Amino acid sequence: MELANTLSQDGESRGGVLAHLERLETQVSRSRKKMEEPQSAQAEESALGTRIHELRRLRDKLRAEVKQHQASVKASTTNVEPDQTLEITEQESLKRKWENVKAILQAYRFTGISGKLTSRGVCVCISTAFEGNLLDSYFVDLVMRKPLQIHHHSIPVFIPLEEISAKYLQTNIQHFLFTLCEYLNAYSGRKYQADRLQSDFEAFLAGPLQRNSLCNLLSFTYKAEPEGQSFPFCARLLYKDLTTTLPTDVTVTYQGTDALSTTQEEQRAAHENLFFTKPLHQVFTSFARKGDKLDMSLVS
Amino acid sequence: MDSQLVEARALEAEITALRRACVEPPAPGEDTSRVRKSFRETYQADSEGWELSKDLRSHLGHLESEIQFLSTLTGISIRHYSKKTEDLTSTEMTEKSIKKVLQRHRLSGNCHMITFQLEFQLLEIQNEESLSSVITDLSIIMEPTEYSELSEFVSRAEERRDLFMFFRSLHFFVEWCEYRKRTFKRFKGLSLTTPLPPTPSTNLAHYMTVIHSWTLAALPSQNPHYEKYPEAVHLSEGASSSCMGIRNPSRPGFELVIVWRIQIDEEGKVLPKLDLLTKVPLQALELDKNGVIETAPLSFRTLLGVLGIEATLESLIKSLHTEASN
């Protein structure tokens, strides 16, 4: 302190340097346990300290200049918020941007179609769902060349991939992808219904559920009341339109030799209608709830 | 001592970068991203952050191009996305190694002229064997709201919590709308150029121009040899509307109106529905012994099945045109 005072008349800069040197010296002596310092090291430190101080000043000067430069350009950009950029370092904003971009890339899977770039082109991932339940995903690896080619894929063989590619792949890739999406989602939905019937409503089935791999032809014998006296009906569901999850053809028949009574006939017709309008497992849910008496208001 | 050396080096690096930034001339109104990049460089002089930022920057550029590519591939642009996760696992569940998590997602973007804002909840239950994910809530806001066909579709999608069907049907709906607009414009003789998306400065540009040329090729009516009928065709509400009127300027009073609606059915299938309305003066009706005008709507439907949409519309326009010259 004394040193600084006596030399203050010599000019601020020198007093500043010396004061700085002093601070460095005290710092160094405080941090080191050893009281003895070799003279050369001290000298080095003081030289380094001076240099640092000079560098700092130069840096601050340049920073101010760049800020001015920045301000004049900022006047012409309308998207930048001045407060933000002053407070947050560029690196932080970069990081935030990166997080945001990564998130958006992840979000694409919620559209049903997302993709990852590959060395040859893109690997498109198609997601499926039914009634809000997220189900299987499938991928199609595309080679971005003319003509566009499918390198490999995980689409099941019974989905008419070749037909769809022949129609749309070369001319309208969006249409190709969304059409494939349609078929896959419908298949997933039908499969989900058949699986649920087999697992949740086993008690209602009088025999095994017969199904094909495309799940568009189902045949089963069931009782609307598992314990009761109701007669077993035979149901045959055909989904001719592969892009739907509801059947196009439904036949419910009675397997017995006796003729059906009026109420039984009514029931049969009502069941047929139910299978047409509601997903399979929901039909059986309504059976479970209402027992033999079918509430016609359920048929929507 | 070491910390001082480190600091000195950092300062030197920063100064070099700052010097570089000062030398660069200001570019008002020019490519601001380039200018912003140089500022990023100047402010990255933290010695630890230096290398990390360079990697971040190039990676960020690559990711942004990937998003633009996906947007061209699907036709859907996602602009904002955020997610909140809530852990609903109870202690009882943890004992059985079951994990229950509720995610709240918020997504917004656009598909051509339609913007959407979605909020949905995803419930994930993980036990030892499997992971089940169920969408438990879905709410959709769409604009513009003048497409009345969409409001019913939106409520159905919300009810069913069918997120994928929403996007799928949205895509096909927009495709049909664009096709309808192009067809109307083509008959009216209006320009059909669609603005090209901005090409990114990576090798993705090649992929994107390829895809874009394909989608353009899928457009009908790019053929310059197609005839235009600017006087006969009347678009009272513009090319984006669902009606096209066909008149003959030399025969006022007669008008054929094509109503082209785009409907979305229960399953989310998008189908065009075209109808013909006739506006005919009373005297002409009296003279129409064969009931041609009465049966016109039905014949229109038959023609659609045989010739397809564009050819049917063209033949209608031509028929009204030639009648005038008789």
Side-chain angles (χ1 to χ4, degrees):
Chain A
M1 273 306 135
E2 273 177 348
L3 209 58
N5 283 340
T6 30
L7 292 174
S8 61
Q9 297 118 18
D10 291 350
E12 250 183 54
S13 54
R14 276 178 68 197
V17 170
L18 288 172
H20 189 74
L21 264 178
E22 229 189 79
R23 262 180 268 135
L24 283 173
E25 271 181 33
T26 40
Q27 257 178 34
V28 162
S29 62
R30 241 187 279 131
S31 63
R32 301 230 179 162
K33 299 282 177 176
K34 285 186 244 175
M35 292 308 288
E36 284 170 336
E37 308 279 356
Q39 279 294 312
S40 53
Q42 261 190 343
E44 259 180 64
E45 276 164 29
S46 59
L48 195 54
T50 322
R51 178 151 171 75
I52 285 180
H53 181 77
E54 279 174 16
L55 285 176
R56 278 199 194 134
R57 274 201 338 162
L58 183 56
R59 191 246 349 239
D60 292 340
K61 186 176 99 154
L62 285 173
R63 263 196 186 165
E65 276 182 36
V66 169
K67 245 190 202 154
Q68 261 192 348
H69 185 92
Q70 195 181 26
S72 66
V73 176
K74 254 201 206 134
S76 57
T77 66
T78 46
N79 295 335
V80 184
E81 285 160 47
D83 296 335
Q84 259 189 329
T85 41
L86 283 174
E87 285 160 24
I88 307 172
T89 63
E90 280 296 319
Q91 193 183 329
E92 278 178 38
S93 76
L94 239 192
K95 229 190 190 150
R96 229 191 306 138
K97 232 185 175 183
W98 183 68
E99 299 285 344
N100 190 38
V101 164
K102 252 194 16 177
I104 292 183
L105 268 177
Q106 288 285 320
Y108 263 94
R109 69 183 171 108
F110 293 118
T111 64
I113 296 181
S114 73
K116 268 203 148 81
L117 292 176
T118 64
S119 52
R120 312 168 271 269
V122 64
C123 185
V124 180
C125 177
I126 297 176
S127 318
T128 62
F130 186 68
E131 286 181 342
N133 295 279
L134 298 189
L135 304 168
D136 295 325
S137 302
Y138 303 89
F139 74 87
V140 179
D141 203 324
L142 295 169
V143 182
M144 288 305 208
R145 232 192 281 134
K146 262 225 146 144
L148 197 59
Q149 287 163 13
I150 298 177
H151 188 254
H152 64 291
H153 63 84
S154 68
I155 314 277
V157 290
F158 38 80
I159 302 281
L161 177 62
E162 273 176 33
E163 208 182 285
I164 303 171
S165 343
K167 258 201 226 167
Y168 305 115
L169 184 59
Q170 304 306 330
T171 51
N172 190 341
I173 198 171
Q174 283 178 13
H175 203 101
F176 166 75
L177 291 174
F178 279 104
T179 308
L180 200 53
C181 223
E182 251 189 328
Y183 277 81
L184 287 170
N185 268 278
Y187 161 67
S188 246
R190 292 193 302 268
K191 180 165 172 293
Y192 178 80
Q193 291 174 63
D195 290 343
R196 284 289 295 273
L197 175 62
Q198 271 188 300
S199 60
D200 299 355
F201 300 99
E202 227 184 308
F204 290 78
L205 294 177
L209 167 67
Q210 291 178 335
R211 55 198 274 187
N212 62 349
S213 33
L214 193 45
C215 287
N216 73 327
L217 180 55
L218 303 175
S219 174
F220 52 93
T221 314
Y222 70 99
K223 277 202 220 174
E225 225 181 68
E227 311 292 327
Q229 296 296 317
S230 61
F231 292 93
F233 283 128
C234 237
R236 185 178 175 274
L237 275 62
L238 176 64
Y239 304 72
K240 259 197 222 137
D241 186 349
L242 294 182
T243 60
T244 57
T245 52
L246 286 175
T248 48
D249 291 58
V250 174
T251 26
V252 177
T253 51
Y254 170 59
Q255 286 298 306
T257 45
D258 316 321
L260 282 174
S261 69
T262 342
T263 38
Q264 284 165 351
E265 177 52 42
E266 272 174 20
Q267 228 181 56
R268 191 202 64 79
H271 285 198
E272 245 181 30
N273 199 14
L274 269 181
F275 286 125
F276 262 119
T277 51
K278 293 189 108 166
L280 195 50
H281 58 296
Q282 277 185 29
V283 175
F284 278 84
T285 312
S286 59
F287 287 166
R289 273 200 229 115
K290 295 288 174 174
D292 223 3
K293 281 218 187 87
L294 258 181
D295 187 352
M296 295 308 273
S297 67
L298 283 176
V299 179
S300 54
Chain B
M1 172 83 158
D2 291 63
S3 60
Q4 284 180 312
L5 274 173
V6 164
E7 190 182 356
R9 271 197 217 116
L11 284 167
E12 282 167 3
E14 196 175 352
I15 287 168
T16 337
L18 283 166
R19 282 217 175 99
R20 226 187 302 140
C22 281
V23 166
E24 264 185 44
E30 242 187 55
D31 188 10
T32 52
S33 60
R34 182 166 50 80
V35 178
R36 263 191 235 149
K37 245 196 231 174
S38 67
F39 294 126
R40 258 185 243 139
E41 284 171 325
T42 59
Y43 284 101
Q44 274 158 27
D46 305 359
S47 49
E48 314 95 60
W50 182 259
E51 282 309 311
L52 183 63
S53 303
K54 258 207 278 214
D55 289 334
L56 255 183
R57 223 184 318 128
S58 65
H59 200 213
L60 180 66
H62 182 81
L63 289 179
E64 281 174 337
S65 308
E66 207 167 325
I67 289 186
Q68 215 167 348
F69 179 67
L70 271 182
S71 143
T72 311
L73 191 69
T74 60
I76 297 170
S77 286
I78 299 181
R79 303 215 182 275
H80 296 287
Y81 171 66
S82 66
K83 160 172 124 170
K84 279 194 210 144
T85 315
E86 193 185 322
D87 195 345
L88 297 177
T89 319
S90 64
T91 40
E92 205 185 297
M93 288 185 208
T94 327
E95 284 165 20
K96 298 187 203 157
S97 41
I98 298 175
K99 197 165 173 223
K100 194 169 171 188
V101 169
L102 183 68
Q103 296 175 353
R104 269 176 253 264
H105 302 260
R106 211 175 261 184
L107 195 86
S108 68
N110 70 293
C111 179
H112 280 251
M113 67 292 190
I114 296 183
T115 51
F116 52 81
Q117 234 178 302
L118 305 171
E119 267 184 47
F120 59 96
Q121 290 184 5
L122 193 65
L123 183 64
E124 277 194 358
I125 301 178
Q126 169 129 51
N127 56 24
E128 273 166 10
E129 298 135 13
S130 60
L131 167 70
S132 87
S133 305
V134 186
I135 297 174
T136 51
D137 192 60
L138 174 61
S139 111
I140 302 169
I141 302 174
M142 286 229 282
E143 270 166 54
T145 45
E146 55 244 30
Y147 292 102
S148 52
E149 304 107 319
L150 286 179
S151 52
E152 217 185 279
F153 159 66
V154 164
S155 26
R156 224 181 290 131
E158 282 178 337
E159 222 178 271
R160 291 197 180 169
R161 295 161 286 131
D162 205 334
L163 190 56
F164 298 153
M165 176 193 85
F166 167 72
F167 280 111
R168 215 160 52 234
S169 305
L170 181 63
H171 164 81
F172 286 124
F173 181 81
V174 166
E175 214 184 48
W176 271 108
C177 282
E178 293 285 297
Y179 176 54
R180 176 177 65 189
K181 185 156 103 176
R182 282 196 304 266
T183 312
F184 284 173
K185 272 182 149 176
R186 169 234 157 160
F187 284 123
K188 181 75 184 170
L190 298 174
S191 136
L192 292 168
T193 46
T194 17
L196 276 163
T199 24
S201 53
T202 66
N203 58 1
L204 278 181
H206 172 64
Y207 289 171
M208 294 210 0
T209 41
V210 168
I211 293 183
H212 195 78
S213 67
W214 291 331
T215 27
L216 271 181
L219 300 182
S221 342
Q222 286 293 340
N223 187 342
H225 300 300
Y226 279 124
E227 275 185 67
K228 309 186 253 249
Y229 310 90
E231 281 113 42
V233 169
H234 187 69
L235 302 170
S236 56
E237 289 161 42
S240 309
S241 78
S242 54
C243 298
M244 174 174 100
I246 306 173
R247 297 176 183 162
N248 196 314
S250 51
R251 284 266 184 97
F254 277 94
E255 188 172 2
L256 296 177
V257 176
I258 316 265
V259 181
W260 184 348
R261 273 177 291 235
I262 297 162
Q263 295 178 330
I264 311 182
D265 75 1
E266 286 273 328
E267 291 265 312
K269 272 235 183 95
V270 182
L271 300 156
K273 190 156 180 292
L274 287 100
D275 282 302
L276 178 70
L277 299 175
T278 53
K279 262 205 253 176
V280 161
L282 221 56
Q283 305 111 305
L285 264 179
E286 286 164 10
L287 290 171
D288 179 23
K289 301 287 179 212
N290 295 328
V292 172
I293 293 166
E294 243 183 81
T295 56
L298 212 62
S299 334
F300 176 67
R301 289 257 174 86
T302 324
L303 213 58
L304 274 177
V306 172
L307 294 177
I309 297 176
E310 278 186 84
T312 306
L313 295 186
E314 184 151 31
S315 68
L316 272 178
I317 299 173
K318 281 198 172 134
S319 66
L320 213 61
H321 237 206
T322 49
E323 260 174 38
S325 46
N326 289 352

